[in-house]
Amino acid sequence: MSRIKFFKEKNLPLEMHKVRIVQKLNLLPIDERLKAIQEAGNNTFLLRNSDVYLDMLTDSGTNAMSDRQLGAMMIADDSYAGSATFYRLEEAVQKFFGKKYFLPAHQGRACENILAKTLVKPGDVVPMNYHFTTTKTHIVLAGGRVEEIFKDEAIETTSSEPFKGDIDLVKLEKLINEVGPEHVPFVRIEMGTNLIGGQPVSLGNVQDTKAICKKYNIPLMIDASLITDNLYFNKIREEKCADMTIAEIALEISKCADIVYFSARKLGSAKGGGIVIDDKALYDKMKVLIPVYEGFLTYGGMSTREMEAVAVGLEEAVDMDMISHGPEFIEEFARILTEYNVPIVTPPGGLGLHLNAREFVGHIKGEEYQAASLVAAIYLVSGARGMERGTLSEEKNPDGSEHIASCELVRLALPRRVFTLSQVRFIADRLAWLYENRELIGGLRFVEEPSVMRFFIGRLEPTSDWQEKLVAKFKEDFGDSL
Ligand SMILES: *Cc1c(COP(=O)(O)O)cnc(C)c1O
């Protein structure tokens, strides 16, 4: 739903910025794309960016920066200790979250490392709306276990539920009683729930979750990496937020949390991260780990230039003109694909468009990685790279069998302010073709399978010659078009 009204246009997502620096892109012929994806072990993480037309892998560190951010980078105070830049960033963080203490870290997962090392003991259980890959890994490495307590609607791919990221409060309380509050080091809410399709959490649910945490004296932790999309949806979809400013909603969410952390590769549209808290004792406990794993306390592994960019990025993150771009483009992308009958996750969320691979390529067995097969096929027919978010992104069961993911998704990320509507229409058009020819897509199997987070660097091969057949059909239909 665009906030701008039109005369003849339906819902045109309108850019509230103009482009002043561009980067030339490459669209390789399909034979070269076939070679590139095979050389990359059918893993889009291993493609070279020069072989990619639309890089829709992630929104992490790939959002477009503003002129104000680039300008700020030029005045960075480059010193190891006590840099003026750090204090500017600290102030911006305090203002955005309304909390006292800020610990810098080089990215989001680095915060998770510090938090898990400080708070999680062997045997602990961490309830959360949904896991994120790196979060879960850090908790498991510290000897803990993750329990997801999402509402049933969360993993229904087709839904009209506006806040699929909400915690199921009944399940939360039941879980706390089952394992005992003393084994729950914190409850974690991930804003803009990444792995179920960038789905938001309501302010009401954050407040209700806090009330339960308070009852059992358990800290509430908020992963604010994707909070900007979430804030947009709070404002647009949640009645109690309609009259609040974006800054007020952010403060209200943060107020419920004992611990907030974020990846500034997303929030702040630059690179870095940090932990924000009010508790001095906990701050002191974590503080000593920053120089060990990240860097001195006034940079935490970030370059001063990036810190300047994050500080300005945080100021811009409360501007509706800035944060509306992603969700509105994604909504338009979703509208076009729905018109073409391509199965997607609804309602559309933030950070990217999510295809329902389980439905798209239902003829492929779960053990042959539906979403991974689809994402390789998408690169072949369009030169766009997405990310597998399904079984391949899961760790195997302890007995070595595949843990079939509850959602089998392909994410096509729309880094903020990066792509144009023509590019969105191009990829939508290729997806429509691919959907009509979906029977040609086959499965994948591992040739090199790392034991942790295999999706990042694992290599796979097709289980048949389906890729050659898909290329042949493409040439039949598109001739020598790229
Ligand atoms: C990206 C992300 C992280 C990890 O952040 P990095 O900066 O990539 O390490 C953590 N949580 C969520 C929700 C994310 O989207």
Side-chain angles (χ1 to χ4, degrees), residues 56-57 59 194 196-199 229 326-338 342-357 360 374-375 378 385-389 409-415 419 424 427-428 431:
M56 297 182 160
L57 186 72
D59 62 332
N194 194 327
I196 58 165
Q199 297 292 326
D229 295 331
E328 287 181 1
F329 260 60
I330 292 161
E331 189 179 343
E332 177 62 9
F333 194 176
R335 192 194 61 74
I336 303 169
L337 288 178
T338 305
V342 175
I344 59 167
V345 173
T346 57
L351 100 126
L353 184 285
H354 292 75
L355 296 165
N356 180 1
F360 201 122
L374 179 57
V375 83
I378 292 170
R385 75 161 149 187
M387 190 190 290
E388 192 271 0
R389 296 276 76 158
L409 308 181
V410 166
R411 180 179 83 193
L412 296 166
L414 289 191
F419 295 124
V424 167
I427 171 81
L431 287 170

Side-chain angles (χ1 to χ4, degrees), residues 58-60 106-110 112 132 134-135 188 190-194 223-226 261-266 272 351 411:
T58 174
D59 62 332
S60 178
H106 80 276
Q107 64 183 97
R109 69 201 65 184
E112 291 167 344
F132 183 70
T134 56
T135 325
R188 172 178 174 274
E190 181 179 309
M191 307 308 290
T193 328
N194 194 327
D223 177 347
S225 304
L226 300 177
Y261 75 95
F262 65 98
S263 163
R265 299 178 65 85
K266 288 106 181 219
L351 100 126
R411 180 179 83 193

Side-chain angles (χ1 to χ4, degrees), residues 60-237:
S60 178
T62 54
N63 296 315
M65 279 207 248
S66 70
D67 48 358
R68 290 184 59 232
Q69 284 182 291
L70 284 169
M73 290 172 95
M74 301 311 291
I75 55 153
D77 174 25
D78 231 342
S79 57
Y80 186 93
S83 132
T85 292
F86 172 75
Y87 297 107
R88 277 195 281 275
L89 174 59
E90 184 182 54
E91 206 182 315
V93 170
Q94 287 163 338
K95 188 168 171 205
F96 189 91
F97 290 108
K99 293 205 181 297
K100 260 195 220 133
Y101 302 109
F102 168 54
L103 290 167
H106 80 276
Q107 64 183 97
R109 69 201 65 184
C111 305
E112 291 167 344
N113 175 43
I114 305 282
L115 290 163
K117 280 205 162 63
T118 311
L119 299 167
V120 179
K121 298 185 303 303
D124 278 354
V125 176
V126 181
M128 56 183 70
N129 49 348
Y130 209 76
H131 77 282
F132 183 70
T133 49
T134 56
T135 325
K136 186 170 174 177
T137 305
H138 281 297
I139 289 169
V140 170
L141 286 174
R145 177 162 66 85
V146 161
E147 281 288 339
E148 291 162 339
I149 40 159
F150 46 79
K151 293 191 296 191
D152 296 341
E153 295 89 334
I155 52 168
E156 280 168 18
T157 40
T158 313
S159 163
S160 55
E161 165 64 41
F163 291 104
K164 292 208 287 193
D166 280 359
I167 291 234
D168 186 317
L169 301 166
V170 176
K171 286 187 206 161
L172 172 62
E173 205 157 359
K174 188 161 163 271
L175 178 68
I176 294 173
N177 283 312
E178 267 167 25
V179 302
E182 67 282 11
H183 298 299
V184 181
F186 55 88
V187 172
R188 172 178 174 274
I189 298 185
E190 181 179 309
M191 307 308 290
T193 328
N194 194 327
L195 298 193
I196 58 165
Q199 297 292 326
V201 181
S202 63
L203 169 61
N205 188 256
V206 175
Q207 290 167 330
D208 293 344
T209 304
K210 173 64 187 174
I212 293 177
C213 289
K214 205 166 166 189
K215 178 169 156 194
Y216 293 95
N217 204 16
I218 297 170
L220 177 62
M221 178 187 292
I222 286 185
D223 177 347
S225 304
L226 300 177
I227 198 171
T228 53
D229 295 331
N230 205 105
L231 291 168
Y232 169 85
F233 291 121
N234 292 127
K235 176 81 184 166
I236 296 284
R237 296 182 185 169

